[in-house]
Amino acid sequence: AVRRAVALTRLQIGALVAIESFVFATVGFLGGIAVGHVVVQAVARASAQLFRGNGASVGPHSLALAAVCTYGGALLAAIWPILRATRVRPMDAMAPRSDGPARRLSPALVALGLLLLAVQPLVTFAMPMPDSARYAAYVLVGCPAFGLAFILLAPAAVVLVDRFGSPLLARVLGLPPRLLASQITAHLWRTAGIALALTIGLGLYVSIQVWGYSMLNSFMPGAWAPDALVAFQPGLAPDQAEAVSRIPGIVPGHALPIVFEQPRLKDDLTRSAERATVTRQDTLVIVGIDPVRAFGGEDPLFRFEWTAGSPEEAIPLLAGGRGCIVPDHFLTAANLKVGDTLELVPPEHPETPVAYVVAGAVRLPGWHWQTKPVGFRSRTHRACALVFASYDAVAADFSRPAASHVWLDFDPAATSAERLGQDARALYAELLGRDVALGDAPPGAPQVRVMPVEGIRGMVRSHAKQWLWGMSRLPLVTLAITCLGVLNALLASVRARRWDIGVLRAIGFTRWAIVRAVVAEGLLIGLVACLLSLGFGILAGWCGAGLSQYVSFFAGMSPSLILEWRPILAGLGAALLLCALAAIGPALSIGRSSPLALLQQGRGSF
């Protein structure tokens, strides 16, 4: 207003704000490039296995995107201050300062935010459209609506935390609840803006955890898999396989010999030539096993969830020699149904394809990793399905006279995987009449190897956690940097309330109480960020996992929403800790001031 009185025009006032925004953006862009380079190199050195080859580098496209985001964000951030500044009249310079009326929550904006929040899940899961169009709709429609929804809902999160979190936090810190009441809602949009800035890092971290563990669930061997698979090389004769069931600790009737092969599909049923994915390949793994003992009765070896057909219908077809059980995703990918025929090409006899009839379909979550470490993918490293058929049919069709593996359940109270391996080696040595190695052995030498399903699950989980932690480091660094916004907000809040704090000190509040109150304000801002990040991360991770089944190499998978709370809560706890640490400086600064010094600056001072 003073500048307007000195004869600056509205355009000049707006230009001043725009120039200030440009200067901030330039400092942020140059400083961000420098800091980002250091952080990327540090992460590359700490996780060298994730950055093989030439290591990590920042390319021109990344720099261009950073420039667009930085200067574009600065321009957007300047629009509202420019509009407010240009509306100021010269006469306002003569009026006393006023913070203006308190901002209230708009129910219309909350309702609009909730409507926009539903756009991304609808685009990802509900609306029928081609895969290419779905990705475009996700990026061009879903993502902008998703971001705008959280911007509109941020004030509601501030009000919720103030209403329910403030009394609880006051009780935990031993403060009067009225001391924290309306502390963060007094500057509603400022608090919301800071919380949204924190959500950039924290929300991305949560979304990575949700996406990662939801995708991991599809690759984790499920409850259908027996306890262990024991490999016997060079193999067991049919009359020798039954001896394995006499090993101590094995559940009676739950040790069945198997043969397997990885043949090619005669016809490209999954259209892998058009676009190969984890479920669209031109080979599959077929396992031969006794169908009656494996799938029938009240206590079968395989505890399948049937999605098409039933054990009563499928077992006779398998026992007859030409039936097979397939995963449910294979029916979708190959456009088959129960009763259809699929033809396989034996690797050793490609001139004589063999045909199998689909007798049923089951859910087989995690079959990919169940087949990979045990050596079932003996021809190529990819396969589109794990298929079960009769032992005799697979042995005859693919020239497998000996059983290479035994799939079994064991009682953990009676034996262990290590003891099971020792007993299996002793049995195999007795059957062969020669020494047998347990584990690795020279080529051609007889060996026994035990592969418990829990070991496979642990390996998958360990690899996944390593990758997820590598992906999560940069979001956590971003969170730490954006906590500077909390420090700035608390400094502004403390400066604006110095006279009020002086009154509190004068009527008996101690320095320690004032320090706790300022730290509590930082924690409340952190709670708002946690609430927004939790909602953002869960929805973004879930929609990201859903989108991957259409447009990524994981197409054809059907991931379920999995919330692994330990890493999520660790991230939220780290955010609260950082906010509390950011509040310590302003809290100690105002706590050291005497009541007289605070009161002397006047009620309207800054």
Side-chain angles (χ1 to χ4, degrees):
V2 173
R3 288 172 179 171
R4 288 282 286 121
V6 183
L8 289 185
T9 66
R10 283 188 170 88
L11 181 60
Q12 291 170 325
I13 293 292
L16 285 176
V17 179
I19 292 172
E20 184 178 3
S21 171
F22 180 81
V23 171
F24 284 156
T26 302
V27 173
F29 179 67
L30 297 177
I33 290 176
V35 175
H37 177 75
V38 172
V39 171
V40 168
Q41 295 304 317
V43 172
R45 286 194 297 270
S47 303
Q49 71 279 6
L50 301 179
F51 298 92
R52 297 174 182 173
N54 297 326
S57 62
V58 180
H61 294 292
S62 298
L63 293 177
L65 179 60
V68 170
C69 292
T70 303
Y71 287 98
L75 176 62
L76 293 175
I79 292 176
W80 178 242
I82 288 174
L83 293 176
R84 291 192 63 184
T86 53
R87 287 204 302 263
V88 174
R89 299 170 304 170
M91 288 298 296
D92 292 338
M94 304 301 296
R97 295 192 60 147
S98 174
D99 292 335
R103 300 290 180 180
R104 294 185 178 182
L105 186 64
S106 171
L109 291 182
V110 174
L112 179 59
L114 292 175
L115 288 176
L116 291 174
L117 199 62
V119 173
Q120 189 76 297
L122 289 175
V123 168
T124 305
F125 299 103
M127 296 182 178
M129 63 182 76
D131 291 353
S132 57
R134 188 179 303 277
Y135 180 73
Y138 182 93
V139 173
L140 300 178
V141 179
C143 289
F146 194 65
L148 183 57
F150 276 92
I151 292 175
L152 297 178
L153 292 175
V158 176
V159 173
L160 284 175
V161 170
D162 184 66
R163 174 67 178 83
F164 299 102
S166 294
L168 180 62
L169 189 59
R171 194 172 295 112
V172 170
L173 297 179
L175 295 169
R178 294 181 63 86
L179 186 60
L180 297 184
S182 304
Q183 200 76 304
I184 56 176
T185 52
H187 301 280
L188 186 61
W189 282 100
R190 184 179 70 184
T191 305
I194 298 166
L196 285 170
L198 294 173
T199 303
I200 295 173
L202 184 58
L204 182 58
Y205 170 83
V206 175
S207 67
I208 288 174
Q209 304 304 315
V210 174
W211 171 84
Y213 283 100
S214 295
M215 295 298 296
L216 172 64
N217 186 61
S218 300
F219 291 89
M220 189 72 68
W224 62 270
D227 293 340
L229 194 66
V230 183
F232 294 90
Q233 300 298 333
L236 293 167
D239 58 337
Q240 296 175 330
E242 287 297 326
V244 178
S245 62
R246 297 195 296 270
I247 295 177
I250 293 181
V251 178
H254 281 226
L256 299 180
I258 67 169
V259 290
F260 71 90
E261 183 54 273
Q262 188 184 8
R264 183 174 57 83
L265 294 166
K266 181 184 177 183
D267 302 312
D268 190 7
L269 300 177
T270 63
R271 304 179 305 283
S272 62
E274 300 175 11
R275 178 186 166 212
T277 70
V278 72
T279 59
R280 293 173 61 174
Q281 300 290 326
D282 62 352
T283 68
L284 55 76
V285 174
I286 185 168
V287 171
I289 196 169
D290 181 351
V292 177
R293 297 169 62 188
F295 315 123
E298 297 181 357
D299 186 25
L301 176 63
F302 291 89
R303 298 166 290 276
F304 286 149
E305 178 185 347
W306 292 76
T307 60
S310 65
E312 294 75 18
E313 298 171 348
I315 291 175
L317 291 175
L318 269 68
R322 307 313 316 163
C324 67
I325 300 172
V326 302
D328 55 350
H329 71 82
F330 179 72
L331 287 185
T332 303
N335 195 25
L336 296 175
K337 61 182 182 300
V338 173
D340 288 345
T341 300
L342 59 99
E343 291 186 281
L344 308 176
V345 179
E348 305 298 337
H349 305 285
E351 70 281 356
T352 56
V354 294
Y356 287 84
V357 177
V358 178
V362 296
R363 285 183 51 80
L364 291 180
W367 69 267
H368 314 79
W369 276 96
Q370 178 65 60
T371 60
K372 183 174 182 177
V374 300
F376 281 3
R377 304 184 204 171
S378 57
R379 304 291 177 175
T380 67
H381 65 292
R382 300 289 184 193
C384 66
L386 173 62
V387 175
F388 294 90
S390 166
Y391 182 99
D392 294 335
V394 175
D397 291 342
F398 301 99
S399 303
R400 298 285 185 175
S404 58
H405 295 72
V406 174
W407 227 327
L408 55 84
D409 283 330
F410 65 89
D411 183 2
T415 188
S416 63
E418 294 76 14
R419 180 62 183 272
L420 185 63
Q422 296 171 0
D423 292 340
R425 178 179 62 175
L427 173 65
Y428 200 35
E430 179 183 344
L431 293 174
L432 296 180
R434 55 183 295 192
D435 290 337
V436 175
L438 179 59
D440 296 332
Q447 63 170 316
V448 169
R449 191 159 60 103
V450 178
M451 293 153 285
V453 68
E454 281 302 326
I456 297 175
R457 290 169 181 154
M459 178 184 64
V460 175
R461 192 178 292 109
S462 175
H463 283 297
K465 286 183 177 179
Q466 181 181 7
W467 277 94
L468 290 176
W469 171 239
M471 296 170 63
S472 300
R473 291 179 182 178
L474 285 179
L476 291 178
V477 171
T478 304
L479 172 64
I481 294 173
T482 51
C483 278
L484 294 174
V486 178
L487 172 62
N488 181 57
L490 292 177
L491 285 172
S493 176
V494 166
R495 283 196 301 268
R497 295 186 293 118
R498 289 179 66 86
W499 189 85
D500 298 319
I501 294 173
V503 172
L504 293 175
R505 290 293 314 282
I507 63 176
F509 278 84
T510 64
R511 285 187 172 90
W512 176 234
I514 298 301
V515 169
R516 282 180 291 161
V518 176
V519 172
E521 187 174 352
L523 287 173
L524 289 174
I525 295 174
L527 285 174
V528 176
C530 288
L531 181 61
L532 290 172
S533 299
L534 194 60
F536 176 91
I538 291 175
L539 284 175
W542 179 44
C543 291
L547 184 69
S548 65
Q549 64 181 311
Y550 300 106
V551 299
S552 72
F553 182 73
F554 302 105
M557 307 296 294
S558 299
S560 303
L561 177 62
I562 301 297
L563 302 179
E564 189 73 13
W565 285 108
R566 182 174 297 180
I568 292 176
L569 292 178
L572 301 181
L576 291 176
L577 177 61
L578 288 171
C579 289
L581 292 176
I584 289 177
L588 295 178
S589 174
I590 197 67
R592 286 196 299 265
S593 302
S594 65
L596 181 59
L598 296 171
L599 291 171
Q600 283 178 336
Q601 298 186 32
R603 186 183 185 104
S605 64
F606 279 83

